[in-house]
């Protein structure tokens, strides 16, 4: 039995043991697990088709096929970009960075805490969450990465690190990969400082990779995702090539805010559904910027709302000035369960900022005129909040 088949079997067993399922939805928690799960979490589990496919899974064969299809899609894209096994490893990590984000979920009553604890549930730690929902904790990300590499013909297994409560991937019993903490640089492939903290020096951290080889492989992966997710098509339909650099950016912000997958509780992984994938908005913004030749450099990060969560900071150009933007602060779900924009950008020293209110109002008017041309979004997925208590 393959590793992912065992993982999925365990996942479905835990689902069946924990929840009452009707018509593909979680409708209740079984008495013996009331101590572990709260009713309000059911809204998160039922919110989107992707969530339900993971959290309401009951059919083993159907779930295995769903997962295999996700692994195959990723493998095909990676194979189209990679010339050899090393480039397959690099492209796999870049795919994971852009297509999967960490899973953080808040419980009712904790929304206004200064630091939110994470109540995400992944059961057996299978790759389902990362592959289907586009979000998952380290166990899920490592499992999905392992399965993609194995499908590409590269021996890989999940490496549990009990000393730091984390999961990595061991490749060919020689090199360590950390898909959760990889940020697009060679020195983060193995998790950066966590590599030493977990005492993994007996393995390779891939620091020997040539920078040019790395850059070429990651760029090809990014361009493949731009085409696959139809970022280039959406950009053309929005007429972005007719706008200047500043105008382009705020129209992209409007697009992201309009299509955020909506949930009834705070969670960090704001995503947008494209090609049956849920893409985190920061990563999708990066692909839109690169597709439209907008200057962008992922330079720093700042603390997020959840414990151990960080938001990426990008350096870009607005009105001819070098400015810093934080997508997760500027583009988010509002209190009325609609995407909203806070048009703020920081000067490089972070001691002052500028608000682009008029520019965003102009971008919104432009976007409204162009929105009808967005053929992939005629049927926007809406959240399913008909079950469980609605959170206000």
């Amino acid at each position: 039995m393959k590793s992912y088949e065992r993982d999925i079997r365990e996942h479905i067993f835990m689902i069946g043991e924990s929840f009452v399922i009707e018509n593909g939805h979680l409708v209740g928690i079984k008495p013996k697990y009331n101590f572990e799960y709260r009713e309000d979490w059911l809204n998160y589990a039922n919110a989107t088709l992707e969530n339900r496919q993971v959290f309401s899974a009951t059919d083993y064969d159907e779930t295995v096929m769903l997962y295999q299809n996700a692994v195959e899609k990723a493998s095909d894209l990676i194979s189209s970009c990679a010339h050899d096994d090393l480039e397959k490893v690099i492209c796999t990590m870049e795919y994971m960075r852009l297509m999967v984000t960490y899973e953080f979920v808040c419980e009712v009553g904790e929304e206004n805490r200064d630091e939110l604890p994470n109540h995400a549930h992944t059961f057996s730690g299978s790759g389902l969450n990362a592959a289907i929902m586009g979000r998952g904790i380290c166990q899920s990300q490592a499992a999905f990465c392992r399965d993609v590499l194995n499908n590409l013909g590269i021996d890989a297994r999940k490496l549990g690190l009990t000393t730091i409560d984390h999961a990595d991937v061991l490749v060919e019993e020689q090199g360590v990969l950390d898909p959760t903490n990889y940020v697009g640089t060679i020195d983060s492939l193995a998790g950066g400082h966590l590599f030493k903290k977990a005492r993994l020096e007996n393995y390779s951290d891939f620091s020997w990779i040539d920078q040019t080889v790395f850059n070429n492989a990651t760029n090809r992966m990014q361009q493949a995702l731009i085409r696959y997710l139809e970022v280039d098509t959406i950009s053309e339909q929005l007429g972005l090539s007719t706008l200047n650099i500043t105008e382009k950016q705020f129209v992209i912000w409007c697009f992201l805010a309009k299509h955020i997958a909506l949930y009834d509780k705070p969670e960090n992984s704001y995503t947008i559904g494209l090609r049956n994938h849920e893409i985190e908005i920061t990563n999708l913004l990066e692909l839109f910027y690169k597709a439209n030749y907008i200057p962008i450099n992922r330079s720093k990060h700042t603390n997020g709302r959840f414990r151990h969560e960080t938001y990426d900071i990008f350096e870009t150009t607005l009105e001819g000035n070098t400015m810093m933007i934080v997508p997760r602060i500027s583009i988010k779900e509002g209190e009325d369960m609609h995407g909203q924009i806070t048009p703020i950008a920081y000067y490089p020293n972070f001691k002052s900022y500028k608000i682009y209110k008029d520019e965003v109002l102009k971008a919104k008017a432009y976007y409204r005129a162009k929105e009808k041309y967005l053929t992939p979004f005629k049927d926007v997925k809406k959240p399913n909040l008909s079950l469980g208590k609605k959170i206000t």
Side-chain angles (χ1 to χ4, degrees):
M1 179 180 290
K2 295 179 180 179
S3 296
Y4 69 81
E5 292 173 337
R6 182 177 61 252
D7 290 348
I8 291 174
R9 194 173 296 280
E10 292 175 356
H11 175 90
I12 290 177
F13 173 78
M14 288 303 299
I15 291 288
E17 285 288 292
S18 305
F19 303 109
V20 180
I21 301 173
E22 294 180 4
N23 299 320
H25 291 72
L26 300 185
V27 297
I29 301 168
K30 292 185 176 179
K32 65 179 179 179
Y33 282 96
N34 275 333
F35 74 96
E36 187 170 353
Y37 307 112
R38 286 173 49 168
E39 289 288 341
D40 62 82
W41 180 78
L42 297 183
N43 276 352
Y44 172 72
N46 288 320
T48 67
L49 171 61
E50 290 75 18
N51 286 33
R52 296 192 297 276
Q53 287 175 327
V54 172
F55 294 121
S56 302
T58 56
D59 187 309
Y60 170 76
D61 291 332
E62 182 180 291
T63 306
V64 167
M65 184 176 296
L66 182 70
Y67 186 66
Q68 287 174 335
N69 288 340
V71 170
E72 286 290 344
K73 282 183 181 180
S75 301
D76 289 345
L77 273 172
I78 292 162
S79 294
S80 73
C81 303
H83 300 141
D84 54 34
D85 283 354
L86 175 59
E87 292 191 355
K88 287 179 182 178
V89 169
I90 297 170
C91 290
T92 297
M93 291 295 282
E94 190 68 1
Y95 180 95
M96 293 293 300
R97 179 180 77 84
L98 291 166
M99 297 291 280
V100 183
T101 188
Y102 202 85
E103 185 176 18
F104 289 97
V105 184
C106 175
E107 285 192 345
V108 173
E110 297 179 339
E111 295 92 337
N112 297 319
R113 291 178 58 168
D114 291 336
E115 186 181 71
L116 299 177
N118 187 17
H119 295 282
H121 295 285
T122 58
F123 309 103
S124 63
S126 75
L128 284 168
N129 296 58
I132 308 304
M133 292 166 47
R135 54 171 70 89
I137 64 169
C138 60
Q139 294 281 347
S140 184
Q141 294 196 37
F144 183 39
C145 182
R146 171 202 66 195
D147 297 333
V148 171
L149 288 171
N150 285 337
N151 197 60
L152 290 166
I154 297 171
D155 180 61
R157 64 179 176 87
K158 194 159 63 172
L159 183 65
L161 306 174
T162 56
T163 56
I164 60 172
D165 191 23
H166 187 54
D168 280 347
V169 178
L170 185 60
V171 178
E172 304 288 352
E173 297 295 327
Q174 298 178 47
V176 171
L177 297 172
D178 187 346
T180 306
N181 293 294
Y182 167 68
V183 294
T185 62
I186 292 174
D187 60 7
S188 67
L189 282 167
H193 74 283
L194 292 179
F195 182 82
K196 292 183 177 179
K197 186 175 181 180
R199 300 176 181 175
L200 297 173
E201 288 90 342
N202 290 335
Y203 301 112
S204 170
D205 63 358
F206 290 96
S207 59
W208 48 268
I209 293 178
D210 180 78
Q211 188 68 56
T212 300
V213 171
F214 179 83
N215 291 345
N216 289 340
T218 54
N219 182 65
R220 287 197 299 273
M221 189 73 252
Q222 293 162 13
Q223 295 303 317
L225 288 172
I226 286 169
R227 294 188 296 273
Y228 173 69
L229 297 172
E230 299 180 342
V231 170
D232 52 352
T233 300
I234 295 169
S235 298
E236 182 179 352
Q237 291 172 345
L238 287 174
L240 295 184
S241 63
T242 66
L243 306 178
N244 63 41
I245 288 177
T246 300
E247 292 169 337
K248 288 179 183 180
Q249 293 185 64
F250 291 122
V251 172
I252 291 169
W253 289 25
C254 290
F255 170 84
L256 296 176
K258 180 71 173 182
H259 296 286
I260 284 177
L262 302 172
Y263 293 89
D264 63 353
K265 57 176 59 63
E267 40 79 42
N268 88 313
S269 313
Y270 288 148
T271 60
I272 290 172
L274 292 175
R275 293 289 300 269
N276 295 319
H277 295 270
E278 289 292 323
I279 319 301
E280 199 274 330
I281 63 166
T282 302
N283 297 330
L284 188 55
L285 179 142
E286 180 180 343
L287 291 175
F288 264 100
Y289 275 37
K290 290 185 176 181
N292 291 283
Y293 308 102
I294 300 169
I296 186 170
N297 178 41
R298 192 184 297 248
S299 59
K300 300 178 181 178
H301 62 264
T302 186
N303 291 335
R305 293 192 63 190
F306 285 85
R307 191 176 303 145
H308 307 307
E309 178 191 20
T310 59
Y311 297 158
D312 289 309
I313 300 173
F314 288 129
E315 179 184 293
T316 187
T317 300
L318 288 168
E319 297 182 332
N321 299 314
T322 298
M323 302 294 288
M324 316 299 285
I325 61 173
V326 187
R328 281 288 287 107
I329 291 176
S330 293
I331 308 164
K332 55 191 175 184
E333 178 184 331
E335 294 182 0
D336 59 352
M337 290 192 69
H338 287 83
Q340 71 176 33
I341 293 173
T342 302
I344 186 171
Y346 302 86
Y347 290 98
N349 61 11
F350 287 97
K351 293 181 179 180
S352 56
Y353 59 87
K354 182 174 180 179
I355 297 176
Y356 295 85
K357 181 179 179 181
D358 291 341
E359 290 80 359
V360 167
L361 289 174
K362 179 181 176 183
K364 286 181 176 179
Y366 177 91
Y367 180 81
R368 283 193 294 269
K370 290 288 186 178
E371 188 175 17
K372 60 185 176 182
Y373 300 110
L374 295 179
T375 52
F377 293 91
K378 286 183 178 179
D379 298 311
V380 178
K381 290 186 295 184
K382 297 295 184 182
N384 186 322
L385 299 173
S386 60
L387 298 169
K389 182 181 178 181
K390 174 69 174 68
I391 310 305
T392 58

